[in-house]
Amino acid sequence: TFSVVFGLRNYGVAPAGLQYPRTGHFHILINVEPPAPGVVIPADSLHRHYGAGQIETMLTLAPGTYTLRLVLADHEHRAIGPELTSRPVRIIVR
């Protein structure tokens, strides 16, 4: 279990379901590629949703190697675009 703090510039964070210009909510993608803009991000163990507008979390993963990406999605969980998707971060959990 480890802490993950989210961040972005020039955009706001709002809970899922609330539609405001230039806002969204975060998702952590685990070992999967980000979806194309406009595609709904699924809710499963590889796509962690933070639809309450969270800007940090404690993430628990089994030991292994992972590639994580942070993706901002709109009020309907649709990926906004590559400019709001982080570069992949490779981690090793021991």
Side-chain angles (χ1 to χ4, degrees), residues 2-84:
F2 55 94
S3 175
V4 180
V5 178
F6 313 148
L8 76 160
R9 292 187 188 140
N10 303 318
Y11 237 78
V13 177
L18 297 180
Q19 184 177 7
Y20 297 109
R22 300 185 61 78
T23 64
H25 64 280
F26 290 107
H27 301 77
I28 294 178
L29 279 53
I30 304 168
N31 291 342
V32 294
E33 291 296 315
V39 173
V40 173
I41 298 172
D44 58 33
S45 64
L46 301 178
H47 302 82
R48 309 284 177 95
H49 286 241
Y50 299 93
Q54 301 96 311
I55 57 170
E56 62 185 310
T57 191
M58 295 299 290
L59 191 60
T60 301
L61 297 172
T65 301
Y66 298 90
T67 299
L68 307 179
R69 286 184 187 259
L70 190 62
V71 177
L72 198 73
D74 70 8
H75 64 287
E76 295 181 327
H77 301 282
R78 296 178 301 205
I80 294 173
E83 69 280 5
L84 294 168

